[in-house]
Amino acid sequence: MPKLRLIQAPPFCDRVVHHALVRVIGEAFGKKIIADTYACIKGRGTHAASRRLRDFMQGERAKRRGHPFFVLKADISKYFPNINHDILMRTIRRTVYDTRTLWLIERIIKSNGFTDKGVPIGALTSQLFANVYLDAFDHFMKETMRIRSYIRYMDDFVILHHDKEALQGIQRSIEQYMGDHLLLRLNPKTSIFPDKNGIDFSGYRHWTSHTRPRKRTTKRMRRQTANLKRKYAAGLIGVEDITPRMASFAGYMKHCDGHITAQTIFDDAIFMRRTA
């Protein structure tokens, strides 16, 4: 089951301010963020993250001369609601020095109906702040822990290693760092498993040799297609209502090895309007 999240999009006038602020400060933060962090960064969306993970997987397999390796797949428990305001502002002040800009940032953070923690999902500034909040953790992983095969997409991250026990030790170090420095906890579903199981990350399921669509994504599309067919046959919608959804699904599928699955769904999507 996908996570249930409370989305709190700001009103239009506030969104204009949020976008303007991100345009002003986003580049400064972007220069500090590591290359293997993705989401809400220009040129680093789901498809770029998927390609990078595949590179890591193939590199790990080549380094192991074809032998299997292990995966630590983790995410942070209730991440957005648990972002601590004081820690976030201390992090931001290391990059932003203008007092008026800092006043605006703090007002945005503090005036979202939360107390001392939490930023709303749905605001562009929240996406930037969520990435910035974990920037120190990224550097801890790459520079202190010296982990090359580490990749993060917002609050989901993956580590590859040839030694399962070493990954267990890394997980303990992560849990301690998260608790001590960021007041966060890993999701109890965090797990370590062999690479042959595949890795569910950034919208796809990854193996060293291929990438598949998520099963829940294709199941949802089959349900939507059936619903569209019923509505079209009843004359409730037209082709103009169907085309954008099918095009979006085609765009998703072209980035993975799911041609047969896509073809079966498109073959089923033959919309015949019911005759009177």
Side-chain angles (χ1 to χ4, degrees), residues 189-259:
K189 293 182 180 180
T190 294
S191 60
I192 296 172
F193 52 87
D195 69 285
K196 67 180 182 180
N197 292 10
I199 306 172
D200 190 333
F201 183 72
S202 72
Y204 298 93
R205 296 180 297 144
H206 302 81
W207 287 265
T208 53
S209 59
H210 60 282
T211 300
R212 297 288 190 196
R214 278 177 170 164
K215 289 182 179 180
R216 65 172 177 262
T217 301
T218 55
K219 286 181 179 178
R220 182 171 63 246
M221 190 60 196
R222 291 183 193 278
R223 290 195 301 269
Q224 291 178 356
T225 299
N227 188 42
L228 290 171
K229 288 180 70 173
R230 286 192 296 270
K231 289 184 176 180
Y232 186 80
L236 300 175
I237 60 174
V239 173
E240 67 278 3
D241 301 303
I242 299 165
T243 302
R245 300 189 189 187
M246 302 307 294
S248 175
F249 181 66
Y252 167 80
M253 294 297 286
K254 77 177 184 179
H255 293 279
C256 64
D257 305 297
H259 308 297

Side-chain angles (χ1 to χ4, degrees), residues 33-34 36-37 131 134-143 150 152 177:
I33 291 173
I34 67 168
D36 290 321
T37 283
N131 253 342
L134 290 177
D135 181 56
F137 172 68
D138 289 338
H139 286 277
F140 171 74
M141 297 303 294
K142 291 286 191 179
E143 297 160 13
Y150 160 83
R152 177 172 68 83
Y177 183 93

